[in-house]
Amino acid sequence: MQRRCTTPLMKSLRRFSSNSSTDKLVASVLFERLPIVVPKIDPVVYAFQEFSFRWKQQYRREYPDEFYKKYEARGKGDYKIDYKPASRITEADKTNDKRSLERALDRRLYLLLHGTTYGSPDGKPVWHFPEKVYENEETLRKCAESALQSVLGDLSNTYFVGNAPMGHMNVQPTEKADPLKRFFFKSQVIAAKNYNISGCDDFVWVTKDELLEYFPEQAEFLKQMIIS
Amino acid sequence: MFRVSAFKRLTSSDTSIGKLSHQLQQQCSVSRTAKGKGKVKAAQTLKRSKAAPKKGGDTGGGRKTGLAVELEEMAKKCLNAPTPIRFLKPKERAREAEREKLGLVSKERQREMDALKKQAKEGTGFEKPSTMGTPGLDLISLGLVDADAIPKYELTVEDGRRLAKEYSRVLMRRHRARQKAETTLLRLKKEAIEALPEPLKAAALVPDLAPFPPNRYMATLTPPIEGYIDKIREAAERSSVKEKLR
């Protein structure tokens, strides 16, 4: 895939500028929501923890019951509220509502948009990451930020991780168009339950497995770039 | 200042601070904490230990009420509490066996034999999976672990070794997969930076030292409940108002 860049490289050598100056660069954003709930525990791991707990419990002293009653009776000044823990499987899970952020709470969710983009073949609406073609901004990260801003409205609840891209892809959309280089930038959801997604007809929040379904030909690359 | 701070801390019952109480000089009388008194008695020499319980302690002796006596007895019971299975080294076990042949049985040995007899009659009670941690919030009922997928085991050394081996295998496999994934991530990042044109590459190589956002959510056992923090705040205000009225 890298070999396609050598002809523009030969051209640019005469002009002393860097490689791929004729290539178009596209900054796209991998917008992820980190897991809200601790992941499931392997039963083998739990079995060992239980075994070790019980084994050590055999050698611990058994205090008389009055001790525990005294211990409980101490906190009289505290308030007592009934606490019922919220379930880990939310309603969005049961209805499989892909647009809500509450879906798979123990996995990461990634944002996907549906619409026309620069790299889509023949201008048909397609599923893609939020992206923007690089014009003369200072850094590619700023370009990515403006891409996300055009989708979300404002960036107050996002966090871009680092100045460098996390992966790149060379895309040849159609024979007549220029080859594109797509750079992915990582950004995370901070403290927000739902977003106002605009600028496209549809959006989904998907887990990694579902993401691989949306992009069948780039599945290998995405599997390497995204853990879990 | 040292002594004053020691006095202030003696009002809370804490074993390590209790030890401090007899290393420093006790100028003020000890408040009614059983652990403090118990430690003082144990520090005295053996000759006096028989006389002291009869007198009821010398420091602040006049202040002893029924409550203090109760607390003391409970503390003594806790300190000498038995364990379900006794931990004995092989030499000690050999000594116990010889004493049994002679006919002398210690109290603890007697207790052990009674417990064994009871167990032989009733069965071990290890069949149902015992819950670890507070009843509502333990891992099984929260859905973190499937109760039926847990392998069955007895509380023996061999089973323990087998479980430990499987545990180690699972965790090491996961660790290696994670390391591999992280190396791949780093490699992809480096390749992406290499593929950037010159001015952008220099900008991308600048390390981003801005601090992480402080309100980044950390994964917890259960998802957050809306409006719960207001409930807590209200309740805390209510209870704190009561304290001020004292």
Side-chain angles (χ1 to χ4, degrees):
Chain A
M1 286 252 271
Q2 298 276 359
R3 303 243 173 232
R4 248 182 252 145
C5 300
T6 48
T7 26
L9 187 64
M10 300 298 264
K11 277 190 227 160
S12 60
L13 269 177
R14 280 183 234 147
R15 282 188 284 169
F16 319 111
S17 53
S18 54
N19 57 348
S20 64
S21 54
T22 51
D23 262 7
K24 296 243 187 241
L25 305 177
V26 172
S28 61
V29 174
L30 187 74
F31 196 39
E32 61 187 7
R33 182 220 72 188
L34 297 171
I36 293 193
V37 156
V38 174
K40 275 193 127 170
I41 298 186
D42 198 312
V44 174
V45 169
Y46 184 75
F48 177 73
Q49 283 175 347
E50 204 185 349
F51 173 85
S52 104
F53 173 72
R54 273 213 214 135
W55 184 264
K56 287 183 189 165
Q57 197 76 337
Q58 287 180 325
Y59 295 108
R60 287 183 185 136
R61 293 183 188 268
E62 278 172 341
Y63 279 8
D65 287 327
E66 309 120 29
F67 183 77
Y68 293 115
K69 287 198 194 129
K70 275 269 178 229
Y71 188 74
E72 304 235 342
R74 249 217 223 148
K76 277 226 176 102
D78 301 333
Y79 44 82
K80 287 205 174 34
I81 305 184
D82 302 314
Y83 171 64
K84 189 168 167 272
S87 150
R88 289 159 60 96
I89 305 183
T90 57
E91 288 186 31
D93 270 326
K94 293 180 197 150
T95 53
N96 210 11
D97 174 17
K98 294 214 172 166
R99 287 184 176 205
S100 98
L101 263 179
E102 314 266 325
R103 199 154 62 100
L105 289 180
D106 59 342
R107 321 244 357 240
R108 293 196 186 196
L109 284 184
Y110 303 98
L111 178 66
L112 270 187
L113 306 177
H114 188 76
T116 47
T117 61
Y118 193 77
S120 61
D122 308 326
K124 270 191 280 193
V126 93
W127 287 104
H128 63 98
F129 294 104
E131 57 191 14
K132 186 162 176 278
V133 182
Y134 171 71
E135 286 129 25
N136 299 321
E137 283 130 355
E138 292 171 12
T139 66
L140 214 52
R141 174 175 154 162
K142 288 227 167 99
C143 176
E145 281 173 3
S146 66
L148 204 55
Q149 202 163 20
S150 64
V151 175
L152 288 186
D154 71 328
L155 287 178
S156 54
N157 285 331
T158 61
Y159 171 63
F160 270 81
V161 187
N163 283 327
M166 63 188 252
H168 76 294
M169 251 172 26
N170 290 315
V171 179
Q172 182 82 26
T174 44
E175 282 74 30
K176 45 188 168 76
D178 293 329
L180 286 187
K181 270 199 182 173
R182 195 176 270 160
F183 289 93
F184 290 93
F185 282 83
K186 190 181 216 171
S187 73
Q188 299 178 337
V189 171
I190 308 284
K193 279 267 167 99
N194 39 23
Y195 281 98
N196 208 0
I197 312 276
S198 55
C200 57
D201 358 314
D202 201 10
F203 67 94
V204 268
W205 290 96
V206 283
T207 59
K208 183 184 177 185
D209 316 314
E210 294 157 12
L211 185 71
L212 296 175
E213 284 169 30
Y214 277 93
F215 293 97
E217 64 281 353
Q218 295 138 9
E220 273 311 312
F221 174 75
L222 287 176
K223 224 192 275 188
Q224 285 186 325
M225 199 171 72
I226 307 178
I227 315 181
S228 87
Chain B
M1 197 192 120
F2 203 28
R3 277 181 224 139
V4 170
S5 61
F7 171 63
K8 273 200 201 134
R9 282 193 276 173
L10 277 170
T11 47
S12 64
S13 62
D14 191 338
T15 41
S16 56
I17 309 297
K19 278 187 199 141
L20 269 177
S21 68
H22 66 82
Q23 282 166 17
L24 309 167
Q25 275 183 1
Q26 245 175 314
Q27 287 202 325
C28 26
S29 51
V30 186
S31 66
R32 287 197 258 129
T33 50
K35 288 229 169 123
K37 277 218 168 58
K39 289 289 177 195
V40 166
K41 275 202 209 134
Q44 292 172 352
T45 52
L46 285 168
K47 281 188 214 158
R48 275 195 243 161
S49 63
K50 279 188 200 146
K54 284 185 199 155
K55 259 211 252 172
D58 21 29
T59 48
R63 286 224 209 126
K64 268 192 116 136
T65 58
L67 182 63
V69 165
E70 211 184 279
L71 282 176
E72 265 193 57
E73 279 186 17
M74 201 167 66
K76 244 190 279 182
K77 259 200 258 177
C78 289
L79 287 174
N80 301 330
T83 67
I85 296 188
R86 279 162 60 212
F87 177 72
L88 294 169
K89 298 192 186 144
K91 254 201 231 176
E92 294 177 6
R93 283 210 188 265
R95 207 194 299 164
E96 284 250 346
E98 280 178 38
R99 285 172 108 203
E100 273 200 52
K101 278 188 227 155
L102 287 178
L104 301 165
V105 180
S106 72
K107 255 194 289 183
E108 288 159 358
R109 177 71 191 151
Q110 185 65 46
R111 213 182 289 157
E112 211 182 2
M113 292 200 300
D114 293 335
L116 277 173
K117 274 186 220 156
K118 216 167 96 174
Q119 211 188 59
K121 260 195 286 174
E122 290 175 354
T124 46
F126 282 144
E127 281 76 29
K128 53 173 173 45
S130 63
T131 50
M132 291 202 292
T134 49
L137 290 177
D138 68 302
L139 299 178
I140 294 185
S141 53
L142 279 180
L144 267 173
V145 192
D146 313 311
D148 25 337
I150 305 176
K152 307 264 175 257
Y153 59 88
E154 307 287 321
L155 265 180
T156 51
V157 179
E158 304 89 31
D159 258 4
R161 290 210 176 114
R162 171 179 66 89
L163 279 178
K165 273 228 181 284
E166 288 176 16
Y167 169 81
S168 158
R169 259 182 221 137
V170 165
L171 286 188
M172 190 46 128
R173 211 169 282 162
R174 260 196 228 161
H175 172 74
R176 290 206 174 117
R178 200 180 332 185
Q179 298 287 78
K180 210 200 279 187
E182 281 182 14
T183 332
T184 322
L185 267 189
L186 273 180
R187 177 177 61 92
L188 284 179
K189 186 161 103 157
K190 283 197 185 136
E191 282 175 12
I193 297 183
E194 288 300 308
L196 278 178
E198 248 332 302
L200 294 177
K201 199 195 280 195
L205 283 172
V206 169
D208 183 12
L209 296 170
F212 286 115
N215 50 352
R216 197 150 68 151
Y217 190 76
M218 181 77 207
T220 49
L221 256 187
T222 54
I225 306 177
E226 294 211 33
Y228 194 71
I229 193 157
D230 299 314
K231 266 200 237 172
I232 291 208
R233 216 175 279 155
E234 271 183 274
E237 278 169 31
R238 259 185 269 143
S239 59
S240 67
V241 161
K242 281 185 204 154
E243 278 181 31
K244 278 181 202 156
L245 286 175
R246 256 195 252 149

